[in-house]
Amino acid sequence: MMAWTRSPCCLALVFVCVSAATIETLHKLDDLKNKTFGHEYPRHGLFLLHWLANHISINHAEDILLHFNPARQDYGFHDYKNTNNRNSTLPHLEDSGDRAYYSLGRLSSEAVRTKLPPYVTQDYYNAFEDPKRDLDRIVVRVQTSNPSQADKVYITQAVSNEQEVDYDSDETYEISPKLLMQVQILKNPLDLIQALESHVTGAQTSDDPRLVLSKEQLLKHLKYSDKRLQTIYEDPSVRWVLFLAGYDIEDRYRIHKNTWSCSNDEPTQHGQTSSAPETLCEGHSTVNIQVKSTEDGYAKIIWSGLPENILKQNTTLVLFSSDASSDIERFTNIDGQTSGTYDTYLPLNHGIHPRLVTFSLAFEYGFIGLRYAIIWRGPQFDEANRAIPTEITDYNASLQLYTKNGYACARIYIGKSFTYWEKEFANSWVSFYGSSEDPDNKYQSYQWVTKFTEVDNTKEYLIYEYESSMSIGPGVQARFLFSTRYFFRRFSSTTVKARTIPWESE
């Protein structure tokens, strides 16, 4: 009996070791060059990697501290279980262990794509029927007792866009902390003189991956690749990641020129870009189309960077209730302006989708109708303005400000380990303020925490919500006020345990 009970355990241990050993570790951006991860339009993997690297801290011991909580589903992370040892791509985790996997990148989920920045999602929105637009994933392995502490980062590719049973083992790699630090370094402006001198002195030992490039490679990026990408991706560090990782820049620029009706001429071959460009490719800025909030909770469209040749095509901006909707909710007038804002009377709601269209009137079946063709899709509006919850000091709980139908709302996450929360928060409440400068007793609306409505129950959290009668708008803030005794609220001795980021402060 002893021999039979030991053998399966030994075999299981051997299998875990072999599975982990087969995953190649990438140590620098250059190691990504011969991989397919995020390397062509409209794949988004390299943008995910850039985003992750700039939302973590790495200490001298190469410990990875996440600036978010994946167990709370921040930024659209979700729990990933590889329950089948034999077929799992990632090393198997015991249910009783202190490790868990969380995955990010399934843009087909509105709950994910609305929480990520436009540079990560723009190609997804504008490659509407391309199956490659939702392949890439990033997986982090974290401590279940401290989910903001990661010890492994993987990049991979989904086996199926419809149902992720597992990931492609041939396209799965571990990302070392050193590679993530290389991405972080790219946020620092390049000292061109230092870069060129490093080749003269032979001092090419910097952690900055740009300083190990040859002079020819460096100039190729600055004179060629960067100029092609600068009207597609605003952040120079994103453009560096694409170049250093071997992204197909030529094909991406070809698609960009076709989208924005650019000339076949190469303006970068003829000196500086134009100060008054006719087409987007001749300029030096990106197109930006977003939905924000008016002072009283309605949708406001903000745009910039629209090129002159596009404005001459009967173009305007329209709002749809979602990215899948074909019914126009609001039709705006941009009046031929390359940048501007337009206030609507559409109540602000999650998923509102702005699109740049060219339109014409058509006569069909005895009626005059409006025809439109989509030029560009902007990012959908996120109900929480892409802001993650704020920790409630001293407790396994957090507070999030969001909007529904244009009203200020609050969401509270209660950790399931915090079993006595109703007793502890019996005399606590959430208040809403028109400005972060308002005194604590000058709230416009409030609700007792114990009167919030339970709306969801995840693996780690209970989620409660409250919808106020106060309009959302720039500067609005929610605060968690804690008290151990019941008094009249304006005069009781309370402590503010959480303040959300003021609405649209970033």
Side-chain angles (χ1 to χ4, degrees):
M1 288 296 296
M2 291 294 293
W4 284 107
T5 56
R6 287 177 182 173
S7 296
C9 297
C10 294
L11 288 172
L13 288 172
V14 170
F15 178 78
V16 168
C17 294
V18 171
S19 297
T22 59
I23 299 179
E24 179 185 353
T25 300
L26 309 182
H27 297 281
K28 55 186 184 297
L29 277 166
D30 192 66
D31 292 341
L32 286 163
K33 282 188 173 179
N34 61 344
K35 315 304 180 190
T36 63
F37 180 77
H39 269 63
E40 61 176 329
Y41 177 89
R43 296 186 64 163
H44 62 294
L46 294 177
F47 305 109
L48 281 174
L49 187 62
H50 175 275
W51 177 90
L52 178 68
N54 287 284
H55 284 77
I56 62 175
S57 298
I58 303 173
N59 62 20
H60 293 297
E62 298 188 351
D63 298 321
I64 301 173
L65 178 65
L66 308 177
H67 297 171
F68 53 87
N69 182 351
R72 196 174 51 196
Q73 300 180 349
D74 291 358
Y75 297 117
F77 273 91
H78 68 273
D79 180 44
Y80 167 70
K81 277 189 174 296
N82 55 344
T83 54
N84 188 332
N85 290 13
R86 187 176 302 277
N87 296 320
S88 291
T89 298
L90 300 178
H92 177 69
L93 301 178
E94 297 295 334
D95 291 337
S96 59
D98 186 35
R99 293 293 185 271
Y101 290 122
Y102 288 92
S103 173
L104 179 68
R106 186 162 61 93
L107 299 186
S108 58
S109 168
E110 187 175 77
V112 176
R113 62 178 178 268
T114 53
K115 291 177 173 57
L116 292 169
Y119 78 91
V120 175
T121 61
Q122 71 170 17
D123 291 347
Y124 174 87
Y125 284 119
N126 289 286
F128 206 62
E129 297 181 352
D130 193 321
K132 298 190 297 295
R133 68 179 183 151
D134 194 30
L135 289 178
D136 300 322
R137 303 288 187 271
I138 283 182
V139 180
V140 295
R141 191 176 80 176
V142 303
Q143 300 175 11
T144 53
S145 57
N146 181 15
S148 291
Q149 184 80 39
D151 62 1
K152 296 286 185 182
V153 175
Y154 300 95
I155 59 172
T156 188
Q157 176 177 309
V159 172
S160 169
N161 288 333
E162 301 299 326
Q163 183 181 6
E164 291 181 4
V165 177
D166 202 358
Y167 300 124
D168 188 340
S169 58
D170 293 330
E171 300 294 340
T172 299
Y173 305 94
E174 182 179 344
I175 299 297
S176 73
K178 289 186 182 298
L179 193 155
L180 294 170
M181 286 189 286
Q182 281 196 341
V183 177
Q184 291 176 335
I185 288 172
L186 299 177
K187 277 288 187 181
N188 302 325
L190 176 66
D191 186 332
L192 185 57
I193 295 178
Q194 178 189 2
L196 294 174
E197 285 182 346
S198 67
H199 297 284
V200 177
T201 62
Q204 298 175 329
T205 58
S206 171
D207 292 330
D208 190 332
R210 295 169 293 190
L211 297 185
V212 301
L213 295 174
S214 67
K215 180 180 178 180
E216 291 72 23
Q217 290 173 317
L218 188 63
L219 294 178
K220 176 185 177 182
H221 174 67
L222 296 176
K223 291 184 176 182
Y224 180 77
S225 300
D226 193 63
K227 287 187 179 295
R228 288 178 176 270
L229 294 173
Q230 67 180 347
T231 57
I232 310 176
Y233 308 109
E234 182 178 13
D235 189 340
S237 66
V238 173
R239 306 195 295 261
W240 272 116
V241 167
L242 299 182
F243 176 73
L244 293 167
Y247 183 79
D248 191 342
I249 295 172
E250 183 67 30
D251 183 63
R252 183 65 187 89
Y253 185 62
R254 178 188 60 79
I255 294 169
H256 180 63
K257 288 173 63 177
N258 183 61
T259 299
W260 295 102
S261 303
C262 293
S263 167
N264 288 326
D265 294 334
E266 294 292 343
T268 56
Q269 295 178 358
H270 306 292
Q272 298 292 326
T273 54
S274 171
S275 58
E278 175 71 14
T279 69
L280 184 60
C281 303
E282 295 169 349
H284 51 77
S285 61
T286 59
V287 169
N288 177 42
I289 301 171
Q290 292 195 59
V291 175
K292 294 293 185 180
S293 175
T294 66
E295 295 288 342
D296 47 5
Y298 294 106
K300 171 193 286 188
I301 301 181
I302 297 177
W303 73 93
S304 63
L306 297 184
E308 293 290 343
N309 68 318
I310 296 297
L311 292 172
K312 295 175 181 178
Q313 300 177 21
N314 286 336
T315 50
T316 193
L317 290 163
V318 292
L319 294 182
F320 296 80
S321 61
S322 72
D323 73 319
S325 174
S326 58
D327 297 327
I328 296 176
E329 296 288 340
R330 288 297 184 275
F331 190 93
T332 68
N333 178 20
I334 62 178
D335 199 26
Q337 298 181 41
T338 60
S339 62
T341 64
Y342 187 91
D343 294 355
T344 76
Y345 288 101
L346 178 67
L348 205 54
N349 274 303
H350 183 72
I352 291 177
H353 194 207
R355 302 175 201 171
L356 178 69
V357 304
T358 178
F359 65 92
S360 61
L361 296 177
F363 186 79
E364 290 184 0
Y365 306 110
F367 296 94
I368 297 178
L370 181 69
R371 285 182 175 177
Y372 67 87
I374 299 172
I375 299 174
W376 183 252
R377 295 174 172 89
Q380 288 178 268
F381 174 76
D382 176 59
E383 61 179 1
N385 225 20
R386 295 200 293 269
I388 63 174
T390 302
E391 300 291 340
I392 297 175
T393 306
D394 301 326
Y395 296 100
N396 183 15
S398 50
L399 173 68
Q400 186 176 44
L401 176 66
Y402 73 101
T403 188
K404 183 177 180 180
N405 294 323
Y407 294 105
C409 306
R411 181 179 292 125
I412 296 179
Y413 293 79
I414 305 289
K416 289 188 174 179
S417 62
F418 186 12
T419 56
Y420 58 99
W421 72 271
E422 289 181 281
K423 179 180 179 180
E424 189 73 4
F425 291 162
N427 299 311
S428 300
W429 65 95
V430 172
S431 297
F432 297 88
Y433 302 83
S435 168
S436 60
E437 303 298 321
D438 291 344
D440 293 334
N441 64 342
K442 298 297 184 182
Y443 51 82
Q444 297 186 31
S445 182
Y446 80 94
Q447 180 59 282
W448 296 103
V449 172
T450 53
K451 291 187 177 181
F452 274 51
T453 302
E454 183 175 354
V455 296
D456 203 355
N457 186 337
T458 69
K459 177 183 176 183
E460 301 291 341
Y461 288 91
L462 300 173
I463 304 175
Y464 293 80
E465 293 180 348
Y466 170 69
E467 300 172 15
S468 82
S469 58
M470 173 184 171
S471 295
I472 198 70
V476 169
Q477 183 182 62
R479 301 176 199 170
F480 187 99
L481 290 96
F482 174 83
S483 178
T484 57
R485 299 180 62 186
Y486 180 84
F487 290 104
F488 189 68
R489 283 171 299 280
R490 288 183 182 273
F491 304 104
S492 63
S493 177
T494 61
T495 303
V496 178
K497 291 286 188 178
R499 300 172 186 264
T500 63
I501 297 173
W503 191 259
E504 294 184 5
S505 63
E506 294 184 347

